[in-house]
Amino acid sequence: MKIGRNAPCPCGSGKKYKKCCMMKKTTESLTHSILMRTSNEVIPILLEYAGQRYHEAITEELWQEFSEGIGEEAPLGESAYTTMFFRWMVFLCEADVILDELTQADDHPDVDEAMPFSIGSAFLQRRGKYLNSLQRRYIEAALQEPLTFWQIEEIVSGTQIQVRDLLFDRVCVITDQSAAESMNPWDIFLGNTMALDGVIALNIAGPFALPAYCKAAITEELETIIDALEELSDLFAFDYELIEFYAAMVSKLFNPVLPEIQNMDGSELIFTTSSYRFDPDLREEILAELTEVDQFERDKDSGPCTATFLWFAAPDEQSPLAKVFKGQLEVGEKILEAETSSTERDGRLRHMLTELLGDRMIHVQTSSKPLEKVLGERELSSPEEPSGDFHLDVLPSEVLKQLEVHVDKMHMNWADQEVPALDGQTPRQAVKTSEGRRKVIDLLNEWENTNARTEDVNSFAFDIDKLRRELGVLEE
């Protein structure tokens, strides 16, 4: 039933609805959109003030320092860090030229020492009186909170997220539609908040969310900062250090470095192919010679035109297997090709072939490809057409149900499996101590976060809360 504007307010205050709860309802629904509009008004004002008060190129100079520190090559305006930079610059950046004004000039403004000595601080003192009430309160609120790392604990609604401060263990609900729609539970981001008229919003935020498994590295980094902190405001001094660390984490996320991969000889993995030419009339003689070598085993599936020999070596102290595969030979009608996984093995194989075949074989060429190049070629050559992979939806419903029960049981068995990350304990054993309990919770959170980030429509969705309930950590 619609309430008339002039009707008595249903709250019982005795006031008309338009003078009471209708006003509150309108204010609540508009607060966040008003904050966003005010933000779009304030940032240009502060940037213009910086150019006028200090010098026109201050934005470009600060961007150069900022981008070099985080290893960003894209120009301002095109970089994913552009929005973060502008907001950091006006609210948190304590540039030398600003510090000089705030501490040395005869007419320096009186700035609250608990706030950063930033462009926003100076503007409030010098020109704050020219702002409207909301703009002034917006800047004041934006100067209250330092940067820290937050982890999303829950997507409360389409516009709100519940987050936990990984440094000070604070919990709050942030109103931010973009974050609520684009992030997943247990994602981590660098940012600061601002509270105005009962609404907590994001002020500065990094452009990328980090996966939950980054928590351990972040916590370790924050521990080095905690010792230097006595109160929350002390964290303002570490804002750029945190930004650099965050950017490094993002870079590792998007540009992973392949581990140094070696073969069993300890040599760098470089796929090497050497070609040798021989007289076709000597082919049978060469095949017979190769067959007599203990380290060469002829592949039984070799065809009449190409004979394949697998090169094995006896085990040594570094390679205690029964025998170690070293490479292979392909003997065609007049070309022998030797394939190995390192230049060192190629050299040893060439020496063996030279001693065995002498001048009956002439080396033609050798080519090498590192692992990165091989992987890149495979990626480029992969077909664009659907691969025809098997899909679960083709199975009868009763089979799907049986599979789902089996997969569910397999996941639940994790509670009683020894886990290296828990020092060899099972999750059920680990939750009996506070430290183990925390590790189990983090592992479950990482599991859920990974599932959300790599959602696969062709797999069964497992409810992680079942394991949380089984292990007694559902409410933590």
Side-chain angles (χ1 to χ4, degrees), residues 1-16:
M1 178 180 175
K2 186 176 180 180
I3 305 172
R5 289 170 51 85
N6 293 312
C9 187
C11 74
S13 65
K15 298 179 182 180
K16 291 183 178 180

Side-chain angles (χ1 to χ4, degrees), residues 392-403:
L392 290 172
D393 54 11
V394 303
L395 295 175
S397 58
E398 61 272 16
V399 175
L400 280 174
K401 183 62 179 177
Q402 291 176 4
L403 281 175

